[in-house]
Amino acid sequence: MVERNYRVAAGPSRHGGEVDLILRDRDGTLVFVEVRARADRRHGGAAASVTGAKQRRLVYAAQHYLLRWASPPPCRFDVVAIDGDALEWLQGAFEAS
């Protein structure tokens, strides 16, 4: 694990962002992970709760984190979705567009 609960503020009138986990994959890729838990899959489940707005806040925090790198490594965004007792790791769940 590289970092846990990385937070960045955007200003007094804007939401910042938080990345639950920042990991390094074996190939050197920096992985920004959002962990979501729900009691069950009603209303779409944990993965569906990572909305477009949440994705934008994650990307914002990741971009801020990457400012410390002169030459950033390859990156990806994963989601760990926990629905009741079921855990699913969605690699490359969304793009930073």
Side-chain angles (χ1 to χ4, degrees):
M1 180 170 20
V2 176
E3 188 105 19
R4 182 176 165 191
N5 297 326
Y6 180 79
R7 293 181 180 140
V8 60
S13 62
R14 290 187 38 198
H15 292 287
E18 178 184 359
V19 179
D20 294 327
L21 299 171
I22 302 174
L23 309 173
R24 178 77 75 160
D25 205 347
R26 290 181 195 154
D27 67 0
T29 299
L30 205 55
V31 184
F32 298 94
V33 181
E34 174 66 9
V35 179
R36 300 298 279 219
R38 297 290 181 265
D40 54 47
R41 291 185 187 264
R42 283 184 296 180
H43 308 292
S49 72
V50 184
T51 62
K54 179 61 177 175
Q55 291 174 22
R56 286 189 294 278
R57 288 193 301 272
L58 288 163
V59 169
Y60 178 82
Q63 289 171 332
H64 184 272
Y65 181 82
L66 290 171
L67 291 174
R68 62 180 72 185
W69 297 76
S71 179
C75 300
R76 78 168 190 255
F77 292 89
D78 290 3
V79 172
V80 172
I82 305 165
D83 291 296
D85 293 334
L87 183 142
E88 184 177 16
W89 191 306
L90 304 166
Q91 293 185 359
F94 62 91
E95 298 288 322
S97 53

